[in-house]
Amino acid sequence: MGAVLGRDVEPIANKPLGIIDLLDGSFAALRQRARVLVIIVAGLAVPSSLLQGWVTRNDLGGASFGELLSDPALAEEASSPTAAYDAEFFLSQILLMFVTAVTGVGVAWVINAWFEGRDPGALDALRFTLRRAGAIIVAFVVIHLLQLLGMILLLIPGLVLVVLSSLTSPVLAIEGLGPIASMRRSWELTRRRAGPVVIVLMLLFLVQLGLSQAITTLPSTAALFVGLDRAWPLVSLSTMVTQLIFLPVNAAAMALLYLDIRFRTEGLDLRRRMFLDLPPVEGTP
């Protein structure tokens, strides 16, 4: 194995990783330092979850199943086109994407520190993320405007931009570049290993879907029977738990993917072992 993280933390292999290793490593990161990674996420995930739950209060007119069954007029109103995709909904989705970008920077910084043999705390990561706030905001706005334009044009360009920009947060955290330079660097790196990047993104989507179904299905169903206008905090709580688990895993996976690409194409692992005097990885000379 590679870098030493701390007395009670197993190191992550400082070597190229397979796709399964990347996903396993992201969950291992959460297991090893759950408090640190969850604190990085919680500051933004909590308000994002509350807003998402608040938005659902108007689903089905806020009525419960019992009320819909007993009042045909209410059921007809609930099934008609409404403002489900109103300003609140879009704000909640934008906030969730921003939370993903910001936590991606903080978690990537921590993951990289582990590879270098350091074990920073949550406050260290939050202070670092705050220092990079300007670059994060600019990169987030530019990337999503370009993706929106690509989606509007022919859809495919937008999806391509999603893939190409997926490593922007790790670049911002680890290389310290500006927002535009970080975007270009992400495009450069993802083009080198486009296939694995797409596969990892698809697997992370499935992980998110599975977690969401496992955690939110029961509370959401219960809320429907109570009435979403009254039970939306229950929906918020289940969404919050999902985000507090998935966002650190997602950020760690993208950080590991970034490092893996650099290990394979730039020999970063060899240079680090040389300059940091790290022990060789098991199975290597």
Side-chain angles (χ1 to χ4, degrees):
M1 301 293 280
V4 178
L5 307 183
R7 290 175 296 178
D8 59 338
V9 182
E10 294 181 4
I12 298 175
N14 203 358
K15 64 175 182 178
L17 301 171
I19 290 174
I20 300 302
D21 296 324
L22 288 171
L23 294 178
D24 181 63
S26 63
F27 279 98
L30 182 59
R31 291 194 303 269
Q32 292 173 8
R33 276 293 184 262
R35 184 180 62 84
V36 172
L37 299 188
V38 168
I39 289 175
I40 295 172
V41 171
L44 288 174
V46 170
S48 170
S49 302
L50 290 173
L51 180 58
Q52 287 182 282
W54 173 254
V55 168
T56 66
R57 78 195 187 284
N58 292 323
D59 290 356
L60 300 178
S64 67
F65 271 159
E67 292 169 333
L68 293 175
L69 291 174
S70 62
D71 188 343
L74 187 60
E76 182 178 353
E77 179 182 348
S79 62
S80 63
T82 63
Y85 297 98
D86 56 11
E88 291 176 347
F89 173 82
F90 284 111
L91 178 59
S92 69
Q93 297 307 302
I94 291 171
L95 181 57
L96 177 58
M97 290 187 290
F98 184 67
V99 171
T100 303
V102 173
T103 57
V105 172
V107 173
W109 184 77
V110 170
I111 295 291
N112 184 63
W114 291 352
F115 275 91
E116 294 179 346
R118 297 178 289 112
D119 190 14
L123 290 180
D124 298 321
L126 292 174
R127 281 193 289 265
F128 172 81
T129 305
L130 185 60
R131 291 197 299 270
R132 299 253 65 196
I136 295 170
I137 293 171
V138 173
F140 176 80
V141 171
V142 173
I143 286 171
H144 286 87
L145 285 177
L146 290 174
Q147 290 176 356
L148 178 61
L149 180 61
M151 295 290 187
I152 292 173
L153 291 177
L154 288 172
L155 182 64
I156 298 301
L159 295 176
V160 171
L161 284 170
V162 169
V163 174
L164 290 176
S165 304
S166 60
L167 298 180
T168 302
S169 287
V171 173
L172 280 167
I174 298 171
E175 299 191 31
L177 301 177
I180 305 302
S182 294
M183 290 167 52
R184 291 174 177 167
R185 176 65 165 156
S186 175
W187 298 348
E188 173 193 345
L189 292 171
T190 51
R191 284 199 299 267
R192 296 177 186 175
R193 301 272 295 168
V197 172
V198 171
I199 293 173
V200 169
L201 290 175
M202 292 177 62
L203 290 175
L204 286 172
F205 171 76
L206 294 176
V207 169
Q208 181 183 22
L209 186 62
L211 276 175
S212 179
Q213 292 295 319
I215 296 173
T216 66
T217 297
L218 184 58
S220 297
T221 302
L224 287 174
F225 281 97
V226 174
L228 287 165
D229 59 341
R230 296 180 293 273
W232 66 265
L234 184 60
V235 177
S236 290
L237 180 60
S238 61
T239 302
M240 192 182 306
V241 173
T242 302
Q243 290 191 14
L244 291 178
I245 296 174
F246 175 72
L247 289 177
V249 169
N250 179 76
M254 299 315 296
L256 292 173
L257 179 59
Y258 160 86
L259 290 168
D260 178 69
I261 293 174
R262 292 197 63 191
F263 288 165
R264 292 175 184 273
T265 64
E266 298 177 356
L268 179 64
D269 54 331
L270 300 178
R271 299 209 309 267
R272 282 186 169 177
R273 289 203 296 276
M274 181 186 306
F275 290 111
L276 297 176
D277 193 27
L278 298 175
V281 178
E282 182 182 347
T284 62

